[in-house]
Amino acid sequence: DMDVVRLAGADRAGFFARITGVLALHGLDVVGVRASTIDGVAVDEFRMAASSGGTPDWSRIERDLRAALAGELDVESRLDAKLRQQSKRRRPQAAVEPRLEVLVSNDASDSTTVVEVRAPDAPAVLYRLAHALSGLHLDIRSAVVATLGHEVVDVFYVTSAKSPSGRLPEGDFEPLRDALRSALG
């Protein structure tokens, strides 16, 4: 069973990150995403594992999504507080330690830089990655996100306003990798 949330709106800095932050605030376990931006309109579809703790309060989630997208909800502060509270609880360990790997390439697309992250699944991983990309002034043009057991594989197609081609200069690859690793550390 899956819950699906679809959103469409004018693309703007932090759009994807704010959505993922609100979903994490409400404890929703995002297991797949399809996101794209066409002609300035972002269309994002989030698939979440059905909650074992009951039905999510969709009216409250919608209210928080609207507030976050309007800039009226400080997602980062609220999520930080929630994660600090959760970190006090012990999480089960996987039999095999998941890897943390960040691959960056300009070879797969003529107009975007592809960023692939393989990381241990944890609360708010998707938000932390999207927030870090937004903080680097990268625009998420498309994303494909999957949770595979205890690991996430998140692929982002990003553009940079710094570059005429839209692709991130190769000299910025290592700082990008460092920022994403830091966001998850």
Side-chain angles (χ1 to χ4, degrees):
D1 287 339
M2 295 277 172
D3 290 320
V4 177
V5 172
R6 289 183 193 97
L7 295 110
D11 188 30
R12 57 193 174 276
F15 184 81
F16 188 83
R18 288 177 184 176
I19 295 167
T20 60
V22 169
L23 298 177
L25 270 175
H26 288 274
L28 297 172
D29 185 17
V30 176
V31 295
V33 175
R34 287 200 181 145
S36 62
T37 302
I38 301 169
D39 296 329
V41 176
V43 179
D44 301 343
E45 177 182 276
F46 297 85
R47 291 178 307 285
M48 281 109 11
S51 173
S52 59
T55 303
D57 185 345
W58 292 111
S59 62
R60 195 165 156 225
I61 295 167
E62 180 181 355
R63 184 178 65 245
D64 285 352
L65 282 167
R66 288 181 187 281
L69 292 172
E72 299 164 359
L73 175 66
D74 186 352
V75 174
E76 186 172 10
S77 294
R78 284 197 39 204
L79 192 53
D80 282 346
K82 179 177 180 155
L83 292 175
R84 274 194 306 278
Q85 185 67 25
Q86 285 181 343
S87 71
K88 295 176 184 175
R89 299 181 202 126
R90 185 171 167 85
R91 294 182 53 85
Q93 297 294 314
V96 177
E97 187 64 31
R99 62 186 165 184
L100 174 56
E101 184 175 59
V102 180
L103 305 172
V104 183
S105 174
N106 281 335
D107 296 334
S109 169
D110 291 334
S111 60
T112 63
T113 297
V114 179
V115 180
E116 179 178 327
V117 180
R118 293 175 179 267
D121 189 20
V125 166
L126 184 56
Y127 167 75
R128 288 185 268 168
L129 293 171
H131 186 67
L133 291 169
S134 179
L136 293 168
H137 306 288
L138 297 175
D139 184 26
I140 299 170
R141 306 302 294 170
S142 180
V144 180
V145 173
T147 301
L148 307 169
H150 61 281
E151 187 174 55
V152 299
V153 180
D154 297 348
V155 181
F156 302 95
Y157 296 81
V158 300
T159 58
S160 170
K162 289 186 351 182
S163 170
S165 71
R167 298 187 307 171
L168 192 63
E170 289 189 20
D172 291 346
F173 285 9
E174 197 56 38
L176 170 60
R177 286 185 196 104
D178 291 344
L180 293 175
R181 286 185 194 113
S182 177
L184 296 178

